[in-house]
Amino acid sequence: MVAKYLFIIFSITHFSGWAKSSVEIPTSNLSNTILERKISVDVVDLKLVKVLQIIEQKAYFKFSYNSTLIEESKLITLKVQDETVAKILYKIFGDEFRYKEAGNHLILLKNQETSNEDVKQKFYLQFSGQIIDAYTGKPLSGVSIYDVESRKARLSDENGAYKMTIESDEKMRGFYFSKVGYHDTTIVVHSDNPEINLELIPLNPEIEKLPGATISTIDFPIEQRPVSKIFVPQESFVHAENLKAIKETRIAQISFIPTWSIGSDLSTNGLMINRFSFNVLGGYANGVDGFELGGLFNIDKQKVRGLQIAGIGNIVGGTTSGLQIGGISNIVGDTTNGLQIGGINNVVRGHFYGVQISGISNVVTKGFDGFQIAGINNFVRTSSRGLQISGINNIVMDTLYGGQIAGIGNWARRGVNRCQISGIVNLANINTGVQITGIYNHCRVNDGMQIGLINSCISGSGAALGLVSYCKEGYRSTEFGANEVGHLQVNFKSGVNKLYNIYSLGVNFIDRSRIMVGLGLGTKWHAGKIFSVSNELISYLVQFENFNAFQGNQFHRYQLTFDFRFAKWFTFFIGPSANIGFSRTQSDEGEYLHFMNYQPVYEADFSDSQLQFWIGAQAGIRVGIRR
């Protein structure tokens, strides 16, 4: 067994750190790709192997190459300042090598020298071997073995064994070995030595590992399981998890279904970013950077940028940017930027920036900035900014800085809401704009305006306009008084100082008996601790003597009262009023009845009523005031 592994070390390859911990890469000032990272190097007559080590250390990656192809003792003199790794390697090697990135490894593969007349001959290269756990010595199943040039991958079986056949004109191959929970590594080998046996080092060797199945179950995002588990091979999912560090882009993929495609090795579709993807029924890829069209569905593990159209739905595990159109549904596992159009629903598990349009519902779990338009429902879990429009209801479980328009109801559970418009109900935590509904508005803090049949809040400096307005920490009072029309007047007031409702009942049993029922609005301002002024407008319906039939008499009263508070719950008020009334009831002599017991300031007769204008006054006491 020992001899079986020694040939790797002594005769086949040189690669840095394959049995060491992987390098931790700083996230600042580094490019997404190794070759684009910028460093400075200043050496004089230093061995090539030492120069490569300096480049590794400064750019935070590991070289992998076959030691038989490089003259490691060659002396190098090099002085570069803030230069990319690609340009530095060109200064050292020229066109002698080509470079492939695999995770945080840079693989050096030598270019073959051929004349224009030479035709490269392709070979069928076969590689095999066994992979074991470096600490337990037990075979490792579910290890991905990836050929970086052919983009083919295989999995090790329950005995840790694997076999791979590659058609190529290049006999020098670079392989990348990776499994979730283990340090990855790369090896560069020649096809003359096709057996590659390897030990992988666990990330946490001190933790005892549970026995694994032949192929480990991958925790794939839940939104991708219903369709992908049926059509996508489990091997593709395992490779996609093991080889997350591989970044590959190709021009096109053509698929009939995810298990039948043209463009790459089927098992590595989950690694590929496609510029163009055409899926007759459905397809599976790592992502799209361009355009994807699916007859039924498109499944992309990571991100999509561009245009995605599917007859049934688009399923994306990562982020999307651009336009998604799904006949039934669009499902995205992370942040989305752009426009989503779904026949039934759109679901985004991250944050959404843009416009969502669906026939039934839009669901965003981490908030949105933009617009949501749905036939039935819009639902957002966290803080959002923008506008929601739906046929039935809109729900935001957190703060909404924006507006909601719904046929039935809107609900913003926390934070600030700028505008809510609905047919039946609006519910918000803090309203700083306007709530408009046909029936009921409620918010915890109202610092804006509520317009509805019934309005309620707990506190706030805003106002409410409706038949019923109630603020728990606002203004309420009951008044007992008299004026020139009613000898006994009872008024109940509810709302806030800025705007409150008035419900009034007056009776007069002296002279001609009458009952007055009124509804009005008022506002008050404080001129000190004990003095305040109220401005009120009340409209009354009046019944004279005969209370069995509706008479249609009405008058409208503006009154100004000066309020003197003698105790916390007791206030005396007095003030003048201006009144205009329309009397429709006549006496036995054929004269229109007056609303008060003296002649009005002005009268005018019409065909069915008499206009009366008069100046009046009122006085009384007010109890139960709440400021």
Side-chain angles (χ1 to χ4, degrees):
M1 176 64 73
V2 175
K4 193 175 182 180
Y5 290 93
L6 286 178
F7 82 95
I8 296 177
I9 301 174
F10 292 106
S11 64
I12 296 182
T13 67
H14 167 83
F15 58 96
S16 301
W18 70 274
K20 300 176 183 178
S21 298
S22 58
V23 178
E24 293 294 330
I25 306 176
T27 57
S28 59
N29 302 320
L30 288 183
S31 169
N32 289 331
T33 64
I34 294 172
L35 291 171
E36 293 177 352
R37 297 175 189 173
K38 291 185 176 182
I39 60 172
S40 299
V41 179
D42 187 359
V43 297
V44 178
D45 290 337
L46 190 65
K47 289 184 179 181
L48 175 57
V49 65
K50 296 295 184 182
V51 175
L52 295 180
Q53 290 175 359
I54 291 173
I55 296 173
E56 285 181 336
Q57 293 169 1
K58 290 194 172 186
Y60 301 99
F61 71 93
K62 288 294 182 179
F63 279 112
S64 181
Y65 56 87
N66 190 295
S67 59
T68 63
L69 302 179
I70 293 181
E71 188 181 347
E72 295 183 333
S73 61
K74 179 182 177 180
L75 297 180
I76 300 294
T77 297
L78 181 66
K79 184 175 183 179
V80 293
Q81 183 69 31
D82 196 28
E83 193 64 271
T84 64
V85 171
K87 291 184 177 181
I88 293 173
L89 293 178
Y90 182 79
K91 290 179 182 293
I92 297 173
F93 298 112
D95 294 327
E96 186 179 356
F97 290 93
R98 62 190 184 280
Y99 310 101
K100 300 292 292 185
E101 296 185 23
N104 198 40
H105 302 267
L106 187 64
I107 301 172
L108 280 60
L109 297 170
K110 194 165 186 178
N111 292 319
Q112 292 184 2
E113 296 181 3
T114 59
S115 64
N116 293 334
E117 292 79 16
D118 291 335
V119 178
K120 292 185 178 181
Q121 182 180 358
K122 288 193 174 183
F123 305 91
Y124 283 97
L125 309 177
Q126 293 187 340
F127 297 89
S128 63
Q130 185 187 35
I131 304 173
I132 64 173
D133 187 301
Y135 286 88
T136 66
K138 295 180 180 180
L140 280 181
S141 64
V143 178
S144 293
I145 301 93
Y146 181 70
D147 179 74
V148 296
E149 288 205 292
S150 70
R151 296 176 174 177
K152 287 189 174 182
R154 293 293 180 267
L155 286 176
S156 60
D157 61 19
E158 65 274 8
N159 298 315
Y162 68 92
K163 290 182 180 180
M164 181 181 292
T165 300
I166 302 168
E167 184 182 6
S168 175
D169 53 14
E170 300 284 355
K171 293 188 176 182
M172 192 66 69
R173 314 303 301 177
F175 290 99
Y176 178 68
F177 296 80
S178 181
K179 178 179 172 64
V180 174
Y182 287 82
H183 290 288
D184 59 359
T185 190
T186 57
I187 293 179
V188 180
V189 299
H190 194 278
S191 60
D192 292 341
N193 298 285
E195 187 176 4
I196 308 173
N197 299 299
L198 194 66
E199 296 179 347
L200 288 186
I201 300 175
L203 291 175
N204 299 295
E206 71 279 1
I207 299 176
E208 182 180 357
K209 289 183 168 47
L210 297 175
T214 302
I215 296 178
S216 301
T217 301
I218 302 303
D219 185 17
F220 212 57
I222 189 65
E223 74 276 9
Q224 299 189 24
R225 288 181 179 174
V227 175
S228 62
K229 287 186 70 175
I230 298 173
F231 293 105
V232 180
Q234 181 70 12
E235 182 180 0
S236 295
F237 289 155
V238 177
H239 283 318
E241 290 297 311
N242 286 343
L243 303 175
K244 281 182 178 180
I246 298 295
K247 307 297 180 183
E248 295 283 7
T249 300
R250 66 185 172 198
I251 296 175
Q253 171 184 290
I254 300 175
S255 300
F256 185 76
I257 58 175
T259 55
W260 182 9
S261 65
I262 301 172
S264 77
D265 179 38
L266 176 64
S267 64
T268 59
N269 278 351
L271 310 180
M272 301 299 165
I273 302 292
N274 298 310
R275 300 292 186 188
F276 169 78
S277 180
F278 176 65
N279 306 308
V280 178
L281 294 179
Y284 171 66
N286 188 32
V288 175
D289 190 0
F291 173 61
E292 184 170 47
L293 176 64
L296 296 180
F297 60 87
N298 299 306
I299 304 174
D300 293 279
K301 187 180 188 309
Q302 293 297 329
K303 64 180 181 179
V304 170
R305 185 173 65 176
L307 174 60
Q308 196 178 39
I309 302 174
I312 292 180
N314 298 302
I315 303 172
V316 181
T319 62
T320 66
S321 299
L323 171 61
Q324 279 188 313
I325 301 175
I328 292 180
S329 173
N330 296 302
I331 301 174
V332 180
D334 207 333
T335 302
T336 299
N337 294 272
L339 173 62
Q340 278 188 322
I341 302 175
I344 292 181
N345 75 317
N346 296 304
V347 179
V348 176
R349 294 183 65 188
H351 201 96
F352 182 83
Y353 301 88
V355 179
Q356 283 186 314
I357 302 173
S358 74
I360 293 182
S361 69
N362 295 305
V363 178
V364 178
T365 62
K366 292 186 179 179
F368 80 97
D369 286 68
F371 297 92
Q372 286 185 314
I373 303 173
I376 293 180
N377 170 260
N378 293 307
F379 175 85
V380 180
R381 186 176 295 278
T382 60
S383 179
S384 301
R385 298 175 183 270
L387 176 64
Q388 289 182 313
I389 302 174
S390 74
I392 293 183
N393 73 312
N394 299 303
I395 298 174
V396 176
M397 299 296 289
D398 207 325
T399 302
L400 173 64
Y401 299 92
Q404 294 177 310
I405 301 174
I408 292 181
N410 298 304
W411 183 25
R413 185 177 179 182
R414 298 188 183 93
V416 179
N417 186 72
R418 305 294 186 191
C419 177
Q420 287 183 314
I421 302 174
S422 74
I424 295 180
V425 62
N426 292 312
L427 302 174
N429 184 50
I430 301 175
N431 174 46
T432 61
V434 62
Q435 285 184 312
I436 302 175
T437 185
I439 296 182
Y440 179 58
N441 292 309
H442 175 76
C443 60
R444 188 178 64 83
V445 179
N446 179 32
D447 288 327
M449 186 69 183
Q450 292 178 309
I451 302 175
L453 184 66
I454 302 172
N455 305 293
S456 68
C457 69
I458 296 176
S459 63
S461 59
L465 181 63
L467 179 63
V468 177
S469 296
Y470 172 81
C471 183
K472 183 178 180 181
E473 298 179 7
Y475 172 67
R476 291 189 300 279
S477 69
T478 302
E479 295 178 354
F480 300 93
N483 55 41
E484 76 284 353
V485 180
H487 296 150
L488 175 61
Q489 199 78 25
V490 180
N491 297 330
F492 177 74
K493 301 177 180 181
S494 175
V496 295
N497 289 335
K498 186 180 295 184
L499 184 66
Y500 52 84
N501 283 26
I502 304 171
Y503 310 95
S504 181
L505 176 65
V507 294
N508 187 342
F509 294 109
I510 301 175
D511 192 13
R512 288 188 173 89
S513 300
R514 53 184 173 268
I515 295 178
M516 298 157 288
V517 178
L519 181 65
L521 296 172
T523 181
K524 66 180 298 185
W525 58 275
H526 294 273
K529 292 184 178 180
I530 64 171
F531 179 71
S532 61
V533 178
S534 298
N535 291 275
E536 299 172 345
L537 182 63
I538 309 174
S539 294
Y540 288 94
L541 290 176
V542 182
Q543 289 287 110
F544 287 99
E545 296 178 340
N546 180 13
F547 304 129
N548 295 324
F550 178 71
Q551 299 171 353
N553 303 300
Q554 57 179 294
F555 77 91
H556 310 283
R557 182 183 188 90
Y558 166 75
Q559 59 188 34
L560 178 69
T561 63
F562 302 96
D563 310 328
F564 303 91
R565 189 177 70 170
F566 294 101
K568 184 176 181 180
W569 300 100
F570 183 82
T571 300
F572 170 76
F573 67 88
I574 189 171
S577 69
N579 306 266
I580 183 170
F582 296 90
S583 177
R584 299 176 183 274
T585 303
Q586 297 179 337
S587 64
D588 296 337
E589 293 78 17
E591 296 182 352
Y592 285 103
L593 300 181
H594 286 185
F595 293 98
M596 59 285 159
N597 296 324
Y598 59 88
Q599 290 297 318
V601 176
Y602 175 79
E603 283 186 350
D605 291 337
F606 298 97
S607 60
D608 61 346
S609 64
Q610 184 181 68
L611 169 67
Q612 302 171 358
F613 176 76
W614 71 94
I615 301 297
Q618 62 281 330
I621 58 173
R622 184 178 300 142
V623 296
I625 296 176
R626 187 76 175 268
R627 295 180 182 272

